[in-house]
Amino acid sequence: MSRKRNETIYQPVKRYGHSTVQVGDYLYMWGGLQGLLSDIPLVHNNEKKKSMCCVVEVCHLPTGEWVQKPTTGDPPFGVKGYAAAVIRNEIFFFGGSCGHGGCYHNSLYSFNVDTFNWKELSPTTSHHGPMMKYYSSMIAIKVKDEDYLVVIGGFGSSSNNTPPQPGAQYSDGRCNEIHMYRLKTGEWTSSTVTGDRPPPINSFTLTSITNTTAILFGGYGDRRSNDVYVFEFTDTSVVSVLLV
């Protein structure tokens, strides 16, 4: 369908540190550090930041048209470098940075694409769960007909953080934690990891292959990496194999 010559075409503002997730024919985008540097509220929370976090950008893929839609509920504030994954009609957001002074999160939120409502599943805390971090990666898996989220790696502050995960390594703010979140019970668990566990790393890609396997590529640890790892998950264990 052609547009009138003077009709304005909506485009999201410039940003970085965000993610996009596809559900059906729509692409959903939230957060990121937006606009000019002077536009970013460098605080944990205020009204301007909340107003920026309470909208979601939606692209209708068949037409390429963007719209901005309001949301309900309380959104997360880890706007930069969060991890995102989708299960059916819900998008899950983990961690991220506030964008100011080393403030990292380990909260987990869900966003329902039918109701446009946010729900906090696990708050930011220094007492349990993954470390407070950004630039980790998250995927959804299904084991024995149950839905889980898997969070791997990331970068955060070693001070005021969660207890170290048994078997994980921590170096220069990076980690190689592997946590699973069981949606049925709302609990974080630490699985037994065997094989070639990646080193502490952030800013890599993690892509699902099947319901219980995924592939990790690249990232940054003590160097830029082009290593490839394949993970196989059960409800209590992870097998990691270095391919390249």
Side-chain angles (χ1 to χ4, degrees):
M1 181 181 296
S2 62
R3 291 180 177 271
K4 295 179 181 179
R5 178 173 297 179
N6 295 326
E7 185 176 351
T8 301
I9 299 175
Y10 174 75
Q11 287 289 332
V13 300
K14 298 176 182 179
R15 69 189 70 202
Y16 72 98
H18 59 285
S19 290
T20 58
V21 178
Q22 181 182 353
V23 182
D25 286 338
Y26 294 90
L27 192 69
Y28 296 84
M29 180 173 67
W30 174 82
L33 295 187
Q34 304 175 27
L36 301 173
L37 184 61
S38 58
D39 294 336
I40 302 166
L42 299 179
V43 296
H44 184 73
N45 184 17
N46 65 11
E47 287 304 313
K48 182 177 180 180
K49 185 172 183 180
K50 186 173 182 178
S51 69
M52 294 173 70
C53 292
C54 283
V55 295
V56 169
E57 316 285 349
V58 183
C59 179
H60 183 231
L61 294 173
T63 62
E65 294 183 353
W66 285 96
V67 294
Q68 184 183 86
K69 293 190 175 183
T71 65
T72 58
D74 293 323
F77 289 105
V79 296
K80 175 187 176 184
Y82 57 83
V86 63
I87 299 177
R88 293 179 290 279
N89 67 337
E90 286 190 290
I91 305 173
F92 297 87
F93 295 83
F94 169 80
S97 166
C98 271
H100 75 281
C103 180
Y104 305 104
H105 293 262
N106 61 357
S107 57
L108 180 67
Y109 282 75
S110 67
F111 176 75
N112 188 295
V113 301
D114 296 328
T115 64
F116 277 70
N117 184 69
W118 292 99
K119 181 180 179 182
E120 183 184 65
L121 302 179
S122 180
T124 288
T125 175
S126 60
H127 301 299
H128 63 80
M131 69 181 284
M132 292 181 277
K133 55 190 176 181
Y134 72 162
Y135 290 120
S136 61
S137 285
M138 179 170 67
I139 58 167
I141 65 171
K142 184 181 283 288
V143 180
K144 298 178 181 177
D145 291 325
E146 273 198 52
D147 292 314
Y148 292 80
L149 296 166
V150 178
V151 176
I152 298 179
F155 181 96
S157 173
S158 59
S159 62
N160 189 29
N161 222 323
T162 55
Q165 183 183 45
Q169 297 172 303
Y170 302 83
S171 177
D172 296 326
R174 299 176 183 87
C175 71
N176 61 356
E177 295 178 337
I178 301 178
H179 282 89
M180 296 177 64
Y181 182 84
R182 187 182 181 191
L183 267 70
K184 183 177 180 179
T185 61
E187 295 177 322
W188 288 106
T189 61
S190 295
S191 300
T192 301
V193 181
T194 58
D196 308 309
R197 189 170 189 151
I201 196 168
N202 62 276
S203 303
F204 52 90
T205 60
L206 184 66
T207 306
S208 295
I209 304 172
T210 69
N211 281 341
T212 58
T213 59
I215 189 166
L216 181 155
F217 174 79
Y220 192 86
D222 58 358
R223 58 179 176 83
R224 290 184 178 89
S225 172
N226 61 352
D227 291 339
V228 179
Y229 292 85
V230 172
F231 299 96
E232 184 169 355
F233 303 95
T234 73
D235 54 343
T236 59
S237 66
V238 182
V239 177
S240 176
V241 178
L242 174 63
L243 296 185
V244 180

